[in-house]
Amino acid sequence: DVKVTQSSRYLVKRTGEKVFLECVQDMDHENMFWYRQDPGLGLRLIYFSYDVKMKEKGDIPEGYSVSREKKERFSLILESASTNQTSMYLCASSKAGQETQYFGPGTRLLVL
Amino acid sequence: GENVEQHPSTLSVQEGDSAVIKCTYSDSASNYFPWYKQELGKRPQLIIDIRSNVGEKKDQRIAVTLNKTAKHFSLHITETQPEDSAVYFCAASPRGRRALTFGSGTRLQVQP
């Protein structure tokens, strides 16, 4: 059974702080994704990675960066958090060549 | 890039009725169309998907239809039950792109 975990369920940060969100999957998946989920906007892709140290920008990468040093771990970094980054952040993973994505439980981030 | 529009944003039906959710996509190269269900407080999970070489697919009470010419696809749920209450997301994946583009979501409420 695929398991995708995220480091925190809830997080409160202050404007200007550097924020790290971590995602770990245990199924040896090559692809990993970061989305943000906002009411009425669905899931929007921030970044994805198809291999260690490889990354591609999604649809809304501004204000974010990512790191993938190990295959099982994909980190989302908010360099300087702003209030408009208050959102639910979802991580997902998939096997190379397969489109089905498996999601983590999400991190609800509040930036004050 | 791909753009996916989803309607309606909310849908309320009586238990036992059918529910239909519709999505349109813009990129004619898209060839994979999954549907995810997200129950309150939980992670999105794949419930059914369809590829562009198929017009319809069924799985018990759930079916998806695809019209490539019109670039739209629909989710049909028959004999709805209270446990079908959730937010449903459609998505599309252009050929060769690993990432999905999601619709804005439909909140389905099944009234007992």
Side-chain angles (χ1 to χ4, degrees):
Chain A
D1 198 21
V2 178
K3 192 163 185 184
V4 181
T5 58
Q6 294 183 228
S7 50
S8 305
R9 291 301 303 271
Y10 302 95
L11 212 51
V12 180
K13 295 292 181 181
R14 296 208 173 272
T15 302
E17 280 192 78
K18 191 168 186 176
V19 182
F20 293 86
L21 303 182
E22 290 207 321
C23 175
V24 177
Q25 48 91 9
D26 67 355
M27 284 302 293
D28 202 36
H29 284 175
E30 288 77 15
N31 303 321
M32 296 188 75
F33 310 85
W34 274 107
Y35 296 91
R36 65 177 280 176
Q37 181 177 10
D38 300 288
L41 297 177
L43 281 69
R44 292 181 293 164
L45 181 66
I46 304 172
Y47 267 98
F48 67 99
S49 169
Y50 51 90
D51 202 351
V52 174
K53 297 192 185 296
M54 305 302 289
K55 61 186 180 185
E56 282 193 28
K57 291 181 180 179
D59 300 316
I60 53 165
E62 298 79 16
Y64 304 94
S65 62
V66 290
S67 172
R68 190 152 180 216
E69 296 296 319
K70 293 185 178 181
K71 190 175 184 179
E72 67 271 17
R73 190 180 298 269
F74 191 35
S75 300
L76 179 70
I77 304 154
L78 287 65
E79 297 288 345
S80 178
S82 63
T83 54
N84 62 12
Q85 292 178 309
T86 291
S87 186
M88 169 70 85
Y89 290 88
L90 287 164
C91 173
S93 71
S94 68
K95 189 82 181 146
Q98 298 179 12
E99 294 94 342
T100 302
Q101 293 187 17
Y102 298 88
F103 284 85
T107 296
R108 189 168 292 282
L109 173 67
L110 173 62
V111 182
L112 299 174
Chain B
E2 174 66 277
N3 182 47
V4 177
E5 294 193 357
Q6 183 171 347
H7 300 280
S9 56
T10 60
L11 180 59
S12 183
V13 299
Q14 290 294 126
E15 184 176 355
D17 287 351
S18 295
V20 181
I21 303 171
K22 299 182 178 180
C23 289
T24 60
Y25 61 99
S26 61
D27 189 346
S28 57
S30 288
N31 63 348
Y32 174 69
F33 307 92
W35 287 86
Y36 283 79
K37 175 183 180 183
Q38 186 178 30
E39 296 178 31
L40 189 63
K42 296 192 175 179
R43 67 191 76 191
Q45 290 193 305
L46 178 72
I47 55 170
I48 195 167
D49 55 15
I50 191 168
R51 298 185 186 280
S52 57
N53 59 348
V54 175
E56 184 175 359
K57 185 177 179 181
K58 282 185 179 180
D59 183 4
Q60 298 183 329
R61 297 186 296 108
I62 293 173
V64 57
T65 58
L66 172 65
N67 183 326
K68 285 189 294 183
T69 304
K71 290 191 282 189
H72 68 70
F73 56 112
S74 301
L75 178 71
H76 305 254
I77 306 174
T78 58
E79 301 172 23
T80 54
Q81 301 167 4
E83 51 265 37
D84 294 328
S85 296
V87 178
Y88 292 81
F89 294 98
C90 63
S93 177
R95 194 186 311 271
R97 189 184 187 213
R98 297 172 183 88
L100 297 172
T101 299
F102 283 86
S104 54
T106 297
R107 182 174 299 278
L108 173 65
Q109 189 161 9
V110 180
Q111 307 283 357

